[in-house]
Amino acid sequence: MAAITMEQQPAADEHIAGLRNRIDEIDAALVALWKERAAISREVGATRVAAGGTRLVLSREREILERFSAELGADGTQLALLILRAGRGPL
């Protein structure tokens, strides 16, 4: 990769700033979705318990783990575990 010249530096800095801004927007959306998903998951659990069922359905958790793993590999599995824990709390 060629070195950036002094003339190119301002354009590169501006490009990086734009990319970082987009990353910040994505992060904000992820946090909002994380919170929404956790709230919905807690409501599912509470509704299931109120109807006489169990708080957790392990087959459902397994489906989620498999989906994330298939899409993202080992990191997807770890991400899914964090997402599941956020919705149900620690076991």
Side-chain angles (χ1 to χ4, degrees):
M1 182 171 244
I4 294 177
T5 66
M6 294 290 285
E7 294 80 27
Q8 294 170 320
Q9 190 61 47
D13 291 345
E14 185 177 330
H15 182 65
I16 289 169
L19 292 171
R20 287 180 174 161
N21 184 57
R22 182 63 185 135
I23 286 171
D24 291 345
E25 292 170 353
I26 292 168
D27 288 349
L30 288 170
V31 168
L33 288 168
W34 181 287
K35 289 179 177 180
E36 180 182 3
R37 189 196 186 288
I40 291 168
S41 182
R42 285 189 297 271
E43 185 175 346
V44 167
T47 303
R48 193 179 313 108
V49 168
T54 61
R55 183 171 68 107
L56 300 176
V57 175
L58 296 179
S59 62
R60 172 68 177 152
E61 291 201 357
R62 193 169 32 258
E63 288 175 17
I64 293 165
L65 287 166
E66 289 172 1
R67 183 179 331 129
F68 275 76
S69 178
E71 290 291 327
L72 303 172
D75 287 342
T77 302
Q78 293 302 310
L79 179 59
L81 288 168
L82 290 170
I83 289 169
L84 290 168
R85 188 173 69 196
R88 62 163 152 66
L91 295 178

